Amino acid sequence: MDTKSNVIRVGSRKSELALIQTNFVIDSLKKVYPEKEFSIVTMTTLGDRILNVSLPKIGEKSLFTKDLEDALRNKTVDFVVHSLKDLPTSLPDGLAIGAVFEREDPRDALVLREDVKDCTLSTLPAGSVIGTSSLRRTAQLRGSFPHLTIQDVRGNLNTRLRKLDSPTKEYSALLLANAGLQRMGWGDRVSKILPCSEMMYAVGQGALAVECRSDNREILTMLAPFNHAETYCRVLAERSFLKTLGGGCSAPVGVSTKLKPIESNFKLTITGGVWSLDGVTKVDHTMELTFPQIKRTQKHNLSPTEETGNKKIKTDEENDNKTYNPLEELDKMIAEKKGDLNCEDLDTPEDLVNSETPRCFCGLSENMNVPLDVITKCDDLGKDLANNLISKGALDVMKVTQDLIRSSIAKS
């Protein structure tokens, strides 16, 4: 950050969705830090530049994040806003995820072409082309709906929808992340939100992550109140699961997590699955863990994760009719405050202030809103789930897929 100008430089991809997400984070921070100025630095990542090759065939890691992370490390920007699903489970040295904002619905959405909008995946005519660039979606579609044809489709959301609407009728439908469509204001394009029993979603899907330098205590302190406790617990278990498996975009891996209040406790449930590329072989398992609490009793002043009244933790199903504004209570509290707000108006966690470098879990900096024992248990839950799948042969299934990809690359 340029201390003289008080400007915080924020890195973002250039796509419309990326900028919407970046501006959402900035607007959230401005509510608490109105004296700060935020400047967006946009850039085009490798994944944005290469659009004529499927993601696994590019053969590079961090396709949508490396350029942004390079800017972080050379101090061109102070923090970067990502879709969490794009961030690898192991980050480059010196970088950390300072906050994970409250998650949108993580499930996938089916978007049908207008002339077949009354169909479902099961009732689409045989040979109908479904567009997706995800091996995870491809494998699940092939396993459950063998009558459909799967074809790679690249580009941002605008580009993909134009391809669907093209007079050539090349695609009958697209599979897309529901969260992205909702953030773009295109919820009316969603034909059906796919249940997890039909389509497990990607690790971290639907959540926004703010990545920064792990030694930038000022930015970490600024982000700490926005590190949403319930979302953090879910995505940590998911990332720990994926990291233990060793999977990424080159393997069909999906998850589903739920965090529900059960009497005075909270139950975290996670289901993970690994598929063969043809969808015929599936290895999956479900595990759960119960916590007496998931938030520290001493909360941040003005924290957007603060519980009020009898507000429930949202489940995926409740997101369909979502009306809750995660910053609504924060707005009320700010309106009641007199005078200007600044960093000193927040109760900064002592262990963050006193720590040289925060502890990290799968790239996620320690969430000061969550008890440490809960964090470690969520981390362990993901590891245990992965080890269960490994004992059932998941790594063999993944190896076959990766060998097929390498063979395809060699032939192309």
Side-chain angles (χ1 to χ4, degrees):
M1 183 179 70
D2 186 339
T3 54
K4 291 183 179 179
S5 63
N6 201 34
V7 173
I8 296 173
R9 298 157 300 178
V10 185
S12 173
R13 293 166 64 188
K14 289 183 177 180
S15 73
E16 185 177 355
L17 176 58
L19 289 170
I20 286 174
Q21 295 176 163
T22 298
N23 278 300
F24 169 79
V25 170
I26 289 174
D27 290 344
S28 300
L29 290 169
K30 279 182 176 178
K31 292 176 185 293
V32 179
Y33 308 100
E35 79 287 358
K36 301 291 186 185
E37 294 182 29
F38 297 86
S39 173
I40 298 177
V41 180
T42 60
M43 56 196 75
T44 304
T45 66
L46 178 63
D48 297 315
R49 293 192 293 269
I50 304 177
L51 297 177
N52 60 344
V53 181
S54 64
L55 295 177
K57 287 186 178 181
I58 297 175
E60 293 282 342
K61 295 182 179 179
S62 309
L63 292 175
F64 297 103
T65 61
K66 184 179 183 300
D67 299 89
L68 293 162
E69 290 175 331
D70 287 345
L72 265 179
R73 289 194 288 181
N74 65 32
K75 300 187 178 181
T76 303
V77 298
D78 300 299
F79 69 76
V80 173
V81 178
H82 301 279
S83 293
L84 181 59
K85 68 181 178 66
D86 292 334
L87 278 172
T89 54
S90 295
L91 300 184
D93 290 343
L95 301 183
I97 298 170
V100 179
F101 277 62
E102 184 174 14
R103 191 179 209 171
E104 292 278 355
D105 185 343
R107 292 173 295 174
D108 285 323
L110 174 66
V111 181
L112 291 160
R113 199 176 62 217
E114 182 65 24
D115 59 312
V116 291
K117 66 179 182 180
D118 294 328
C119 293
T120 64
L121 286 170
S122 59
T123 61
L124 278 169
S128 295
V129 176
I130 311 299
T132 177
S133 59
S134 162
L135 290 183
R136 170 186 57 84
R137 294 174 180 140
T138 297
Q140 292 182 78
L141 283 172
R142 286 175 173 168
S144 301
F145 307 99
H147 69 292
L148 301 176
T149 299
I150 317 302
Q151 186 169 309
D152 189 68
V153 59
R154 293 287 313 283
N156 57 36
L157 281 179
N158 314 58
T159 301
R160 296 185 194 195
L161 289 172
R162 280 198 299 271
K163 290 180 179 180
L164 176 66
D165 299 334
S166 170
T168 62
K169 296 186 177 182
E170 180 180 2
Y171 299 96
S172 297
L174 301 175
L175 277 188
L176 302 166
N178 182 48
L181 290 166
Q182 299 300 331
R183 288 178 182 133
M184 291 285 285
W186 294 340
D188 60 331
R189 293 300 306 262
V190 176
S191 304
K192 180 186 179 184
I193 297 176
L194 301 181
C196 297
S197 58
E198 192 170 301
M199 181 70 60
M200 283 194 229
Y201 45 80
V203 166
Q205 187 163 300
L208 297 182
V210 183
E211 187 180 19
C212 62
R213 291 181 293 279
S214 58
D215 62 354
N216 193 335
R217 291 167 62 187
E218 181 177 359
I219 294 296
L220 285 167
T221 300
M222 179 184 296
L223 295 172
F226 296 88
N227 210 0
H228 190 256
E230 292 93 334
T231 300
Y232 184 95
C233 291
R234 290 176 62 184
V235 300
L236 173 55
E238 294 173 17
R239 286 172 67 81
S240 178
F241 163 70
L242 184 61
K243 184 175 182 178
T244 305
L245 274 181
C249 64
S250 61
V253 177
V255 294
S256 170
T257 53
K258 294 180 181 179
L259 183 59
K260 292 185 176 182
I262 305 294
E263 296 179 349
S264 60
N265 296 320
F266 296 90
K267 184 171 73 172
L268 175 61
T269 305
I270 179 170
T271 300
V274 174
W275 291 261
S276 59
L277 201 52
D278 60 7
V280 173
T281 303
K282 175 183 178 181
V283 182
D284 66 334
H285 189 66
T286 299
M287 300 187 78
E288 61 183 40
L289 197 61
T290 301
F291 309 103
Q293 69 178 91
I294 58 168
K295 292 184 181 180
R296 290 188 175 182
T297 53
Q298 183 65 36
K299 300 185 180 72
H300 295 291
N301 194 20
L302 299 184
S303 171
T305 65
E306 191 86 33
E307 291 276 17
T308 57
N310 295 316
K311 181 171 70 69
K312 295 193 305 178
I313 296 173
K314 293 175 297 174
T315 63
D316 290 346
E317 290 74 17
E318 291 169 333
N319 271 314
D320 286 344
N321 299 307
K322 178 179 172 183
T323 58
Y324 171 64
N325 177 355
L327 291 173
E328 182 177 353
E329 188 62 25
L330 177 62
D331 291 338
K332 293 178 183 177
M333 296 172 74
I334 292 174
E336 293 169 359
K337 285 277 276 185
K338 293 182 179 180
D340 293 333
L341 293 172
N342 52 47
C343 294
E344 286 70 34
D345 288 318
L346 293 178
D347 292 333
T348 302
E350 288 187 11
D351 37 4
L352 180 58
V353 172
N354 297 330
S355 174
E356 287 290 331
T357 303
R359 287 165 288 200
C360 284
F361 302 82
C362 298
L364 300 169
S365 61
E366 181 181 346
N367 190 329
M368 299 305 166
N369 303 307
V370 180
L372 182 58
D373 68 313
V374 172
I375 294 175
T376 56
K377 287 178 180 177
C378 290
D379 192 17
D380 289 341
L381 181 63
K383 292 176 183 175
D384 291 344
L385 177 62
N387 286 325
N388 180 283
L389 265 61
I390 289 171
S391 71
K392 295 179 178 179
L395 295 185
D396 293 333
V397 175
M398 293 169 62
K399 184 179 184 303
V400 171
T401 296
Q402 290 161 351
D403 288 345
L404 286 172
I405 293 172
R406 292 190 191 99
S407 175
S408 176
I409 292 173
K411 292 177 182 178
S412 60

